[in-house]
Amino acid sequence: MSQRFAPSSGLFAVPLLLLTVTPAFADACGNLAEIKLPDTTVKLAQTVAPGTLVPPLGMPAAVFHNMPSFCRVVLKIAPSSDSDIEVELWMPSTGWNRKVMGRGNGGFAGIISYAEMAGDVRHGFATVSTDTGHPGDLLHADWASGHPEKMIDYGYRAIHLMTVQAEALIQAFYSSPAKYSYFASCSNGGRQALMEAQRYPDDYQGLLAGAPANNWTNNLTGYIWNAQALTAAKDSLILPAKLPAISAAVVAACDAQDGLKDGVIQDPRTCHFDPAVLLCKGAETDQCLNADQVRALKTIYAGPKDPQGHPLYTGYMPGGELGPGGWAGWITAPEFGKSGQYLLGTQFFANIVYQNPKWDYRTLNFGGDIQSMNRTFAALLNANDPNLTAFANHGGKLILYQGWSDAAISPLNTLHYYQSVVSALGPRSKDAIALYMVPGMQHCDGGPGATDFGQHDLKYDPNTSIFSDLERWVETGVAPGAIVARHQDYPGSHATAPMTRLICPYPQTDHYKGAGNIWDAANFQCR
């Protein structure tokens, strides 16, 4: 994190209690209330003693167990008259590891990432997060209509200003700057990470971007495409009760292509599944699809196209239909209009694009409407620029990870972005960017594959975490390699041991050596 500023230059639902702490740190923390920073008000600077953190927003107390003493600073940043960016910075009173961790948000943000911050403090990081300029939940954007400055804050400005002001406060509190700076997040948080690399390449040395929604406008266009596909005809709607049959047919067609029958499709690009095999031969049941549903499923797999047939966004891969993070949560739902894709897509177009809460998703034209929308919003929200030269020039390292079974962000989108960066940077790319494509992983985590590899700090393990590979790369220059990932409830499990597999840096994939337990990563190699 560059030292640009010298030190001179919704709160929790219930107050935090304060017990006796080391006087020197209590004074240093309290004194931060007097610091002057551009466009910034310090609303609170308070030392939080061990065991006194009251869980915010009704979050489980277990998330905040074993918290050490830390300095909690709450900021309001207002770069415009219509800006109200809330930021929280937590700094360990003792045992600081000389590192700072920035945390992002999913969806439309509106919530500070308290749980991740708690894990960061336990591991010795100073940690910072923001609501990006508005309170709310991840699925609604009613705050955006008529507020272009708030859209700029959400699009890119809030994360940058959060980072800059945290830098100054860390310097003031510790009388020393952070030696290493990191940002780790997933989904919209992955978009935020790439926006930092592209717009503000000096802000962070290490970025961990999971399932990045960097192609934001076209990704949400795809959400409306899927909603239209599911309601194109009277009988098009695919309800969650049909998903087990779809998943079983996909697995039957493609699971064994990698030589193992393990319920996980290694690379769905090689899976040429035809939904027509599910066409009902007689009366319709949950074990088959009617003709309208077959067309809808093909349309969703294919992805959105303009009237001339040109792709607008990549389609979704077969293999991620089941599970809490699968299609039942994202693409379809027990009741139409309740899925994550429908809510995010309609909120984006109704409140941000057209600023009309009565906008009807069925009216969207995938030609001129999308061209006009992108002219207005692509530069603000999309992080598609592959030229990371400035980021690479100062030694920045970026790790991308993406599940092949993601039903929210198409895995092909992340793969295409990675390939575009490699093409733009040439041979230098090996020193700046790495990608992990995770078989069987859904959105950010979960799914039938080995998907627990410490991508969230609550699961941080310095021996197996993907974040520890990023730290090693930034701090020692050792490029990331294979990561051992786990899945406890794998097929055939008796819960005596987890399934483990290797997650290999792309373009490598894990291959069975031909002998030994197929649920043990020791019997696999990357090649």
Side-chain angles (χ1 to χ4, degrees), residues 107-254:
F108 292 115
I111 301 172
I112 288 171
S113 298
Y114 294 114
E116 287 83 358
M117 292 178 71
D120 295 337
V121 169
R122 281 195 292 269
H123 294 302
F125 290 85
T127 179
V128 63
S129 183
T130 176
D131 64 0
T132 73
H134 61 274
D137 63 67
L138 308 181
L139 295 175
H140 291 87
D142 48 358
W143 52 268
S145 184
H147 295 282
E149 293 293 337
K150 290 187 183 298
M151 281 302 302
I152 295 172
D153 293 335
Y154 170 76
Y156 56 85
R157 187 164 59 189
I159 293 292
H160 171 60
L161 294 180
M162 166 195 91
T163 302
V164 171
Q165 308 304 48
E167 168 185 289
L169 290 161
I170 288 169
Q171 170 77 48
F173 182 63
Y174 292 114
S175 299
S176 176
K179 186 175 182 180
Y180 298 109
S181 55
Y182 298 97
F183 183 94
S185 197
C186 190
S187 193
N188 175 57
R191 180 193 70 87
Q192 292 168 334
L194 298 187
M195 195 68 86
E196 280 289 294
Q198 294 166 28
R199 285 181 176 266
Y200 309 106
D202 295 334
D203 275 2
Y204 293 97
Q205 295 159 291
L207 299 170
L208 180 61
N214 61 302
N215 197 359
W216 179 267
T217 60
N218 294 311
N219 184 25
L220 270 68
T221 295
Y223 290 178
I224 302 301
W225 173 270
N226 292 344
Q228 288 189 8
L230 290 170
T231 54
K234 180 172 68 73
D235 295 321
S236 295
L237 186 60
I238 301 172
L239 293 174
K242 299 269 190 176
L243 295 178
I246 296 172
S247 176
V250 169
V251 170
C254 303

Side-chain angles (χ1 to χ4, degrees), residues 249-318:
V250 169
V251 170
C254 303
D255 177 20
Q257 288 183 341
D258 62 348
L260 294 176
K261 289 188 176 182
D262 54 4
V264 177
I265 297 173
Q266 176 81 358
D267 185 345
R269 291 175 299 177
T270 66
C271 178
H272 304 296
F273 169 68
D274 184 358
V277 301
L278 287 166
L279 184 64
C280 296
K281 303 302 189 291
E284 182 182 346
T285 70
D286 288 342
Q287 304 306 310
C288 64
L289 303 179
N290 63 49
D292 290 334
Q293 291 168 337
V294 168
R295 280 191 289 272
L297 187 56
K298 288 183 177 181
T299 299
I300 292 169
Y301 284 144
K305 296 177 173 58
D306 69 14
Q308 289 72 46
H310 303 129
L312 297 172
Y313 186 71
T314 54
Y316 290 87
M317 298 284 94

Side-chain angles (χ1 to χ4, degrees), residues 181 193-194 196-208 386-399 417 421 425 428 431-433 470 473-474:
S181 55
L194 298 187
E196 280 289 294
Q198 294 166 28
R199 285 181 176 266
Y200 309 106
D202 295 334
D203 275 2
Y204 293 97
Q205 295 159 291
L207 299 170
L208 180 61
N387 184 3
L388 300 187
T389 300
F391 180 70
N393 281 346
H394 87 92
K397 312 296 184 187
L398 167 63
I399 293 182
Y417 176 72
V421 174
L425 292 183
R428 296 187 62 197
D431 297 321
I433 187 170
L470 178 61
W473 198 12
V474 167

